[in-house]
Each structure stands twice: as structure tokens, then as C-alpha cells.
Amino acid sequence: MHAPHGEHFPLLSAQLRTWNAQIGDLTNPVFSICDYLEIRGPVDPDLLRAAHLQVEREADALRLGIITVEGEHRQFVHPDPTPLQWVDLSARTDPAAAAAAWMAEDVHRPVDPLRLCGAAVIKTADDCFLLYWKVHHAVVDGWSLALIFNRMAAVYSALSEGRSYEKGMLQPFERLRENEAAYRQGKRFLADQAHWHSKLADRPEPVGPSRRRAQVTAGRRLRHELAPDRVARLGEVADGLGVTWSDLAVSAMAAYVGSTVQVPEVVLGLPTAGRLSPQVRNAVGMAMNILPLRVPFDDGSSLVGHAQRVSHEVRELLLHSRYPTAELSREITERGGSGRLWAAMVNVMLFDHRLDFAGVPAIQHTVSIPLTVDMTVYLIRIASDGTMELILDTHSDLYSASEAEAHLAGLLSMFYAIEKAGPHTPLNALCPGPERSRASTG
């Protein structure tokens, strides 16, 4: 098949990992990220279209298509932006339900390799609009989507207020291509490879709270919103322990899994942005990588000791976070080990949201299909006031609905206990008892 438009070029390693999983079945919708902003106030449709056009011009990854040429997956950039779809459901009897149904239908549409991203504005009332984006994970990651939402708000606000906006704030996809080429040709690539082979040489088999194994699949999703005051209190605890908010969240997940499974070492999947260089920090594309985080666990150790150990391990992982996880898994398998690098996963996304459309606030929501190999916890900042959402995705073959509910209750109980705990509180005093017991049986 020939490229519909001009030059085509190879996929990056992070892209290839996702596309290889997708290409066998283009009807499978699980590899798309589907998020929307709920804009709580009146907006100007023409200005939203203009803002969208500017973002599409800057973020050329939104215009990527993928083809296969002589057995190799290649990509190209469409010269023209994809139009912003406008959907007016405000006259429906239940506009909110109609909007949810519209998005659910779109989320489950088959993948079009030639048009992997699209956007729509759904009007549910004169003072409520949903800015919806569907982007394929092979071309755009969650970090990029946060950049896109922020940029849409900034450009819209400037246009609405009659101000000029600085152009080129989003770096082109070419920056990611150049950055990966330089990485693979440099000493850092080989140093990272050696680090991971050494780090994982004696690793234990990853075990999740289910204590069983399964292939990655669509699962079930539960949510709980963390109000800004709770988020702030956890931040104060983190400061007192000498770690970041993100480190504290990862520590909580490690403690929860360790106490549930009762293992001396926890191995978690930890997604990273894959953007160590400031030259690609604002580049839109797929750079996200997932690597295994090894955490020694002793339920008699103190909260501060545990959190600082986790913080140290996270820092070390981030220093070597460019090495492609698919290559690492393959190399370990070739050496006779298990290619399974983690079971439970935790993803903390503290995006610097500035979701303000000329004074009209917005809040981010996800309607993506949950995908997990065991259990995945997301902690996502969804609004500029600091509100966060805790999302628990569980594998439907490994956890019943009641077990998933019990695990969510257990995780929330642990976070609540951490808010009240002192630095020397032992972990076994923080881990929930009845919820954990019910969740880990059956």
C-alpha cells in the first residue's frame, strides 16, 4: 500500500509496541484514548473551531496515519487537519445521557489506520459543552493529550479576549523522532540496557492481588474523586516524609499489594512520560514507556522508611526510563526468563492543567476502555483546582465485581489512614483489614 500523502517513515519503539498489538484486529477499540473536557459555561463555537485548527497545525501527531509497506509499519502526516465535529444534543430529553451514548458508540468504533485521531464538541446545554478527543495510543499518549487540552484552552482564551497567542508552543512530532534516533545511537542506550538486565536478573515473578495470571484484556472500571483538600493533605504528608506526592501514591500502591499478597518484594508496572530531554517535553506523540519497579516490602517497616525506599527506586527507574519495554521483555525471554515484567500497575498523572476557556472552567473525564493485565490504579489530576480522580481497573477474569469494589474500598481506606498517620506508623497499621481479606479471597 502506498502512502496517501508524500513521505512515510518508521514507527518509534513506543508506537510499534502498541501498533503490533492492534494490527491483528482493527475492530478492537481498546488501544484508543478517549477523554473529554466538560466546559461548564457558554463558549463560542467559531472560536473553538479556530483553536482546534491551531492545535492540529502545531501537533502534527494528531494527523498521523499508519500503513504497511513491504511488511513494515510506516507512518505519514496528513497535510490537512481533521475537522472538529459539532454535535448538538441540547434538545434531547436527557442531553447528558445522549452525550454519554454518543461517546460510547464512538469509543467502540473500529480503528481507521489512516485517521487515528479525531475531535468533537458536544453541546448538552447553552452553558455546557463537552470537548471530546479520541486519539490512538500508537500516535498520542496521555501526556500529549494533557498538552492538547491545555493548548486548546490557552488559544481559545486568547482569541476570545482579543489577544495574540504565542505560536508553536507544541513541539512537532519530528522532535521525538530525532530524540529517539540520538538515544539509540548514543552510549545511554547501552547503559540503560545493561542497567535493566542487571536490575531484573534476580527479580521475583510479579504477583498481583489476584495471585493469578492472565493476558492483558479489557476489564471493569471503578472511580472515586479526591477533593482538593484531601489531595492537599496528602501533599503535606508527602512533604513531611521527604518525598513527592507521586512517590507517596506509588508507595501506597506498593504497600497495598505487598500486604494483600504477603510477599517480601513487590514488582509494579510504572508508566513514564519518556521525555527526559527538555527539547521534547512539549512534543505531542507517543513516547510513553512502562517499566518494572522493584520495591522491597516489610509490613512492619515505618511509613517514612517505606516511602523513601520507594522514592529512591522511582528515581533510579526514571534515570533509565527510555529503554523500550517491549525490547526488554523480549531480551529477558531470550535469556530464559519470564517476559512478564509486572502484574499490578500504578500510573500517577499530575498534569499541570490550565483548563480555563476565557474564564469558563473545565474538568477532564475519561471514557477510554479499561485495559489491564491484573489491576491498574490511576491517580489523575483532572482540574486546575487540584481535584484528582482515583480510577481502579481490574481484570474481569481475575476479579469479580464484588472483589473489585472491595479493593477500591481498601485502597481508599489506606489513603485515608496515610492522611492521619505519623511518619513512624508501621505499614501494618495502615493496610485495611476486613476489606483486604474479602478482596483477596474467592
Side-chain angles (χ1 to χ4, degrees), residues 377-430:
V377 171
Y378 297 91
L379 286 147
I380 310 172
R381 184 182 290 153
I382 59 174
S384 55
D385 66 0
T387 301
M388 296 192 69
E389 188 171 44
L390 188 155
I391 296 175
L392 173 64
D393 291 347
T394 52
H395 198 295
S396 54
D397 292 338
L398 300 181
Y399 302 91
S400 67
S402 61
E403 287 170 341
E405 292 278 1
H407 278 300
L408 177 62
L411 285 162
L412 293 173
S413 177
M414 169 164 280
F415 276 105
Y416 182 78
I418 288 173
E419 286 181 48
K420 307 295 183 182
H424 299 290
T425 303
L427 295 181
N428 54 29
L430 302 173

Side-chain angles (χ1 to χ4, degrees), residues 146-388:
L147 293 174
I148 291 164
F149 280 146
N150 278 348
R151 185 62 174 155
M152 281 283 290
V155 174
Y156 177 91
S157 296
L159 292 173
S160 180
E161 296 161 9
R163 297 183 284 107
S164 60
Y165 54 85
E166 188 175 354
K167 296 183 180 180
M169 294 300 291
L170 299 180
Q171 296 162 330
F173 181 71
E174 178 65 20
R175 293 282 182 87
L176 290 175
R177 293 177 60 204
E178 295 169 347
N179 192 257
E180 174 159 304
Y183 171 67
R184 285 186 169 274
Q185 293 165 10
K187 296 179 179 179
R188 188 73 257 172
F189 179 83
L190 294 176
D192 288 347
Q193 182 185 60
H195 166 82
W196 284 111
H197 285 203
S198 173
K199 184 75 175 177
L200 301 181
D202 63 343
R203 80 194 192 288
E205 181 70 10
V207 180
S210 69
R211 298 185 178 87
R212 292 176 288 159
R213 292 187 58 165
Q215 297 299 313
V216 62
T217 190
R220 59 171 55 86
R221 171 164 289 172
L222 298 172
R223 308 169 185 266
H224 183 87
E225 191 170 288
L226 300 178
D229 59 335
R230 287 204 64 189
V231 175
R233 286 197 299 272
L234 287 167
E236 292 169 1
V237 172
D239 290 343
L241 298 173
V243 301
T244 67
W245 202 103
S246 178
D247 290 341
L248 181 62
V250 175
S251 300
M253 181 63 172
Y256 185 82
V257 173
S259 64
T260 302
V261 185
Q262 288 296 304
V263 290
E265 184 175 5
V266 175
V267 183
L268 296 176
L270 189 70
T272 70
R275 292 168 168 83
L276 293 183
S277 169
Q279 284 74 33
V280 294
R281 185 170 179 81
N282 289 333
V284 173
M286 174 52 171
M288 185 271 289
N289 199 25
I290 310 174
L291 288 163
L293 179 73
R294 295 183 64 172
V295 179
F297 177 74
D298 175 0
D299 67 0
S301 64
S302 66
L303 174 60
V304 64
H306 173 69
Q308 291 184 355
R309 279 194 300 275
V310 169
S311 180
H312 170 79
E313 293 296 334
V314 169
R315 300 285 83 70
E316 184 181 64
L317 182 149
L318 292 176
L319 286 174
H320 303 280
S321 60
R322 293 288 307 279
Y323 198 73
T325 184
E327 294 180 35
L328 179 61
S329 179
R330 185 186 68 247
E331 290 162 357
I332 289 176
T333 302
E334 289 172 351
R335 292 184 171 202
S338 167
R340 179 181 169 95
L341 299 181
W342 61 81
M345 187 170 82
V346 57
N347 193 357
V348 185
M349 293 182 272
L350 300 179
F351 300 131
D352 183 19
H353 278 317
R354 297 183 179 91
L355 302 178
D356 182 294
F357 288 75
V360 178
I363 188 167
Q364 184 173 344
H365 304 274
T366 182
V367 288
S368 301
I369 298 171
L371 190 66
T372 185
V373 70
D374 184 283
M375 167 190 290
T376 302
V377 171
Y378 297 91
L379 286 147
I380 310 172
R381 184 182 290 153
I382 59 174
S384 55
D385 66 0
T387 301
M388 296 192 69

